[in-house]
Amino acid sequence: MADPREGVTPEGLILTGARRDRVPSAFEPVLAYVLGRVPPEVSVHVYGSVANGTATVPASDVDLLTIGLPAAAASGLGAEASAAFADLCRGVEIAAVSSDDYLGEGDEAYGNRVFLRHYCAHLAGPDPGAGLPGFRADARAARGFNGDIDRSLRRWRAALGRDDPSDLSRRIARKSLLAVAGLVSVHDGTWTTDRSAAAARWSEIEPSLAPGLARLESLSETGGASEEETGTLLGAGGVIEHLTARFATDIGLWDRKC
């Protein structure tokens, strides 16, 4: 669900509603379950609709970010928690990263720092986001979030015929519409990660893409595309290739100077 507080401060910094005290009380047992099974040296954050207070029972996911937890442990714990709280949420997704993912001046590390500072609410363990400054709502932040869209396109094309097309189409749609949100943010001098609003606005900017954007919005919720349709989305001259080229021109790709 869209964050109603997302936007830009008067100083031009990213603004979101992610705060620990906005977590709906209904989801506290899920958080307690996970925190009780994570070593104290691991940093744990919540993000998404639970962090900004818009999550609803039982339709929302509980999205957690861990720094220092092995990927296998995060995956197993997420599956356990999803089964234990199937009546409260659609699933518990636990991302596992390392502290090295936040270091350096590359675009990916910069995007990681922006996400940690503005979209994550700290729950337990060390808090590497506590000392981070506010980040500007600009092309660098948009590039940090989605400047890998060309790499994603290559991975999706490689996965065609191998991955389930329904699930693949959902992943394609969600990532592509986040890139569209970056395009809207830079074009309009604002800041948004709202997929639906971004699709609607970019349809005004490039009306020829409106049908494709509407289809991506639908797929981002439930997937469901056939292998043939997914191939068309990813094909030469298709909507994903067009959006990738536009992102490269307007914002830039990872580690490319603009």
Side-chain angles (χ1 to χ4, degrees):
M1 186 176 293
D3 180 355
R5 298 177 180 87
E6 187 177 48
V8 184
T9 71
E11 297 76 30
L13 304 179
I14 294 170
L15 178 67
T16 75
R19 274 184 17 184
R20 178 65 180 91
D21 61 3
R22 291 198 174 112
V23 172
S25 60
F27 297 96
E28 291 292 348
V30 185
L31 303 185
Y33 181 94
V34 172
L35 295 179
R37 290 160 175 78
V38 172
E41 67 272 16
V42 171
S43 175
V44 185
H45 295 73
V46 61
Y47 64 97
S49 61
V50 174
N52 63 43
T54 63
T56 59
V57 175
S60 295
D61 292 317
V62 177
D63 296 308
L64 299 169
L65 174 71
T66 60
I67 304 174
L69 188 68
S75 178
L77 182 54
E80 280 181 30
S82 295
F85 295 98
D87 58 331
L88 281 180
C89 60
R90 185 168 56 182
V92 180
E93 301 292 332
I94 304 179
V97 301
S98 77
S99 57
D100 290 345
D101 292 317
Y102 298 89
L103 302 178
E105 293 305 310
D107 292 322
E108 182 176 9
Y110 185 85
N112 289 340
R113 292 195 295 271
V114 174
F115 185 77
L116 184 64
R117 170 63 176 80
H118 290 291
Y119 287 88
C120 297
H122 179 250
L123 297 176
D127 184 7
L132 291 174
F135 290 91
R136 297 199 67 79
D138 60 12
R140 190 180 184 195
R143 187 167 64 252
F145 276 15
N146 291 292
D148 61 336
I149 186 66
D150 62 323
R151 305 180 191 189
S152 296
L153 175 57
R154 290 195 294 271
R155 287 196 301 271
W156 296 331
R157 283 173 168 168
L160 192 63
R162 183 189 68 206
D163 291 6
D164 173 67
S166 178
D167 179 66
L168 178 60
S169 64
R170 183 173 185 268
R171 300 200 311 268
I172 291 167
R174 291 177 69 82
K175 174 68 174 179
S176 298
L177 289 179
L178 283 177
V180 173
L183 287 168
V184 169
S185 296
V186 172
H187 183 277
D188 289 354
T190 185
W191 186 260
T192 183
T193 58
D194 184 334
R195 295 179 182 90
S196 295
R201 174 61 181 135
W202 204 255
S203 293
E204 296 173 348
I205 296 167
E206 289 197 78
S208 64
L209 295 184
L213 290 169
R215 182 55 177 154
L216 288 176
E217 185 179 358
S218 174
L219 291 172
S220 71
E221 293 300 320
T222 59
S226 65
E227 187 168 319
E228 180 181 5
E229 182 183 9
T230 304
T232 299
L233 290 173
L234 298 174
V239 61
I240 307 301
E241 187 173 86
H242 180 92
L243 292 171
T244 299
R246 185 68 187 255
F247 197 98
T249 300
D250 291 11
I251 297 174
L253 303 173
W254 275 359
D255 300 322
R256 169 181 162 185
K257 300 297 183 182
C258 294

